[in-house]
Amino acid sequence: MVEYFMPPHFAAQGSNLVTHWYNGQEICIWIEKASMAKSNGRRVILFPLPLQGCINPMIQLAKILHSKGFSITVIHTRFNAPKASRHPLFTFLQIPDGLSEAETRTSDVTLRLALLNRRCEPAFRDCLTKLLRSADSETEEEKQRISCLIDDSGWIFTQPLAQSLNLPRLVLNTYKVSFFRNHFVLPQLRRERYLQLQDSEQDDPVEEFPPLRKKDLLRLLNEERKVLDSYSIMILETTKASSGLIFLSCEELDQDSLSQARQDFQVPIFAIGPSHTRFPGSSSSLLSPDETCIPWLDKQEDKSVIYVSFGSIATISETELMEIAWGLRNSDQPFLWVVRVGSVNGTKWIETIPEELMERLNENGKIVKWAPQQDVLKHRAVGGFLTHNGWNSTVESVCEGVPMICLPFFWDQMLNARFVSEIWMVGLHLEYRIERNEIERAIRRLLLETEGEAIRERMELLKEKVGRSVKENGLAFRSLENLVDHISSF
Ligand code: UDP
């Protein structure tokens, strides 16, 4: 392993560019910060699900563990393979996933995950067995003990496999704790009574799954199918059999659920906080971020811009594209809007927006195909985030103190949106109305009215709380230390 001499007062900046004053001169060094730690002679194997929202946290966890002295091997599928060249200090091993071209394009994420679980097993088994065997045969000098496997809860074949190889397996979970522990009740709720819902009940709370409202639950149950029910049961069983569960949340965001999860799963639980706070940046992005976003933001007033993005999976219809476009235009606020290629059903990109409207949009907005989201949210010009409330996007927004307008599409996004709008009260909920007047009104309420100021103040407090948690001696910081001790104990 390459080792670097680092004076003890070296500035750790969390990015590849490290600056240091030495003998009166500023020296800039371009290295992966994770290379600072000396090897502890142990290796961790990581196996992310091939989804952007799972790859980002897994690579961030890899950087954290590497900075603590662990060597890292990432086993990954061919589909949505992480960009190995951006992480020269990690070993990447690709396995065949057996997905056909058509299967990689399906918008049915659950189906794709079920197929991957079925088809990756032999290749993964082979790869892991070889790694363990070669670790055993290394000379005493080169020997690096493989401590454990860390993979996503959505890989359901890895637990029995790791067990059969005597390898501890830790589960990385990319949901909010309260979603993960409660979502196992969904098959039962579906069987029972929730599908026939009266209009008058729409806003009632769901006692079995707080703080969801019945209309959220109805959407969740509608998207759920048999394949998901049996998949959930397997996730529950394999998580309970694991050697530990890691959440990218913290006591400050998930206090009650964390103590309940400890009882539910009976395995050590580590709430290490939003991992991107330790190693920010978009180095694990599968798509190339449009870097012109930042100079464009530099030209805007403080807290004036609404940033719009619905993550890496959600899709919208052409009509919804037009409603959002008009809502943004009519709000008269500058906006930065991410429209992924292929995310508007039935079209390539935004070619269906009429030229005349496009000209008006270009007057105070910018549309890109993918943004460097963490840098965007950090920018002083961004005043609000119209988001689908994926957990990564939600915590990235909290960590930068950016209030949200919630437009959840599916799965855990519905719960995250209720936390943002009703529990933490750091955002507004569009209540599924993708309609130009609603969007315009929400943007103006958030960015221009006193209601928005109160929301911003609450967001500042939440940001500080979470910020304290990940700093030295904070709860998330200590949980990470405990995780490192736990892995070192294997
Ligand atoms: N992201 C990004 N650029 C974009 C949109 C999203 O880098 O233009 C990143 C974002 O920072 C987050 C991830 O993609 O880390 C999306 O994860 P999330 O859990 O929010 O949603 P998902 O894509 O899983 O629905």
Side-chain angles (χ1 to χ4, degrees):
M1 194 187 103
V2 191
E3 283 187 21
Y4 298 88
F5 166 70
M6 291 287 158
H9 51 292
F10 224 99
Q13 297 174 348
S15 76
N16 295 44
L17 193 63
V18 180
T19 55
H20 168 59
W21 284 93
Y22 194 69
N23 283 348
Q25 267 191 320
E26 192 179 25
I27 312 166
C28 293
I29 304 179
W30 184 261
I31 59 166
E32 187 121 23
K33 203 188 102 191
S35 66
M36 287 182 190
K38 196 169 168 358
S39 166
N40 63 10
R42 288 162 180 271
R43 180 169 292 277
V44 173
I45 316 271
L46 305 177
F47 184 36
L49 275 180
L51 297 171
Q52 182 71 77
C54 296
I55 290 171
N56 283 0
M58 194 64 95
I59 295 292
Q60 278 151 357
L61 182 63
K63 290 182 185 178
I64 292 171
L65 293 178
H66 194 274
S67 75
K68 304 281 180 191
F70 292 94
S71 300
I72 301 292
T73 295
V74 181
I75 304 179
H76 61 87
T77 56
R78 183 189 54 95
F79 170 65
N80 272 356
K83 305 256 181 298
S85 59
R86 299 210 190 124
H87 311 283
L89 299 171
F90 305 159
T91 306
F92 285 83
L93 298 173
Q94 180 167 302
I95 55 166
D97 49 44
L99 291 185
S100 66
E101 242 350 87
E103 286 162 347
T104 60
R105 281 197 306 269
T106 174
S107 58
D108 188 338
V109 179
T110 318
L111 174 69
R112 195 191 298 128
L113 292 184
L115 292 175
L116 282 167
N117 265 289
R118 225 173 294 145
R119 300 196 188 146
C120 286
E121 181 168 9
F124 182 79
R125 175 190 296 272
D126 195 41
C127 183
L128 191 58
T129 313
K130 279 189 187 140
L131 278 175
L132 288 168
R133 231 182 267 140
S134 62
D136 273 351
S137 62
E138 277 167 356
T139 60
E140 231 10 78
E141 235 174 37
E142 321 172 302
K143 211 173 187 109
Q144 267 198 334
R145 180 125 68 88
I146 296 184
S147 294
C148 65
L149 166 70
I150 304 181
D151 64 0
D152 282 274
S153 52
W155 285 124
I156 50 178
F157 67 83
T158 52
Q159 180 60 38
L161 171 61
Q163 242 162 288
S164 71
L165 296 169
N166 265 332
L167 182 67
R169 168 189 179 241
L170 292 171
V171 174
L172 175 66
N173 195 282
T174 53
Y175 298 133
K176 189 175 188 311
V177 183
S178 36
F179 182 82
F180 187 62
R181 69 169 291 274
N182 277 318
H183 89 279
F184 298 111
V185 79
L186 290 174
Q188 179 202 329
L189 294 182
R190 185 153 68 118
R191 277 194 305 275
E192 284 176 359
R193 58 185 185 279
Y194 274 99
L195 276 182
Q196 288 91 36
L197 195 62
Q198 306 294 320
D199 268 0
S200 59
E201 295 176 289
Q202 298 274 335
D203 283 317
D204 291 354
V206 181
E207 273 153 36
E208 298 88 339
F209 205 155
L212 284 184
R213 290 168 180 258
K214 288 191 177 166
K215 61 182 169 193
D216 304 322
L217 186 65
L218 192 63
R219 284 169 178 265
L220 260 174
L221 295 177
N222 278 344
E223 78 187 46
E224 202 187 0
R225 291 157 313 128
K226 279 259 150 31
V227 60
L228 200 46
D229 284 5
S230 49
Y231 189 41
S232 286
I233 294 166
M234 289 299 293
I235 289 177
L236 180 60
E237 283 171 9
T238 51
T239 303
K240 281 182 170 174
S242 73
S243 300
L245 182 51
I246 307 165
F247 284 107
L248 304 166
S249 188
C250 52
E251 298 281 345
E252 289 75 2
L253 295 175
D254 251 319
Q255 193 175 23
D256 291 351
S257 310
L258 268 168
S259 46
Q260 287 157 349
R262 289 195 171 95
Q263 287 175 12
D264 294 352
F265 298 107
Q266 300 283 320
V267 295
I269 291 188
F270 306 93
I272 64 169
S275 53
H276 76 280
T277 52
R278 288 151 178 125
F279 290 97
S282 47
S283 65
S284 50
S285 209
L286 295 169
L287 300 169
S288 299
D290 185 332
E291 298 296 344
T292 63
C293 293
I294 304 300
W296 182 84
L297 285 170
D298 288 343
K299 293 196 201 107
Q300 312 302 325
E301 307 268 307
D302 282 6
K303 302 207 184 310
S304 64
V305 174
I306 184 89
Y307 170 58
V308 187
S309 166
F310 306 130
S312 61
I313 304 169
T315 56
I316 54 175
S317 66
E318 264 182 63
T319 315
E320 289 167 339
L321 177 82
M322 290 304 291
E323 290 303 310
I324 297 168
W326 276 112
L328 291 171
R329 175 55 249 174
N330 294 345
S331 75
D332 246 349
Q333 288 296 121
F335 64 85
L336 173 62
W337 183 11
V338 179
V339 184
R340 276 178 1 259
V341 172
S343 67
V344 184
N345 298 326
T347 72
K348 258 175 126 178
W349 192 42
I350 52 170
E351 63 280 6
T352 49
I353 299 180
E355 212 168 295
E356 196 191 332
L357 173 56
M358 210 49 229
E359 273 169 24
R360 295 186 62 192
L361 290 170
N362 285 335
E363 281 166 17
N364 63 344
K366 183 172 174 69
I367 305 181
V368 296
K369 294 174 178 158
W370 192 249
Q373 179 163 305
Q374 292 169 16
D375 297 331
V376 166
L377 288 169
K378 223 188 264 305
H379 199 284
R380 53 148 193 88
V382 174
F385 183 10
L386 172 51
T387 170
H388 70 310
N389 286 115
W391 183 239
N392 291 298
S393 294
T394 304
V395 289
E396 286 163 15
S397 205
V398 167
C399 288
E400 300 309 334
V402 178
M404 288 167 255
I405 298 175
C406 306
L407 182 54
F409 285 75
F410 48 76
W411 207 223
D412 63 321
Q413 299 161 13
M414 262 91 94
L415 179 114
N416 302 337
R418 288 286 163 224
F419 266 88
V420 168
S421 57
E422 290 172 14
I423 307 291
W424 305 326
M425 298 198 293
V426 294
L428 302 169
H429 201 306
L430 277 180
E431 302 299 343
Y432 309 109
R433 291 187 290 262
I434 308 185
E435 200 271 312
R436 63 187 74 184
N437 295 333
E438 296 288 338
I439 293 169
E440 174 194 344
R441 179 91 199 95
I443 295 173
R444 298 182 72 81
R445 276 167 70 197
L446 192 69
L447 294 184
L448 303 174
E449 295 177 11
T450 41
E451 185 186 6
E453 271 169 43
I455 291 176
R456 199 172 308 282
E457 276 166 26
R458 284 193 291 272
M459 183 51 118
E460 244 344 277
L461 294 177
L462 187 63
K463 170 189 163 178
E464 279 166 26
K465 269 211 250 173
V466 175
R468 272 198 300 277
S469 193
V470 293
K471 288 222 177 83
E472 192 150 2
N473 286 325
L475 291 171
F477 180 92
R478 278 190 266 151
S479 190
L480 177 61
E481 301 283 290
N482 292 340
L483 171 66
V484 171
D485 291 346
H486 186 56
I487 298 176
S488 307
S489 74
F490 295 134

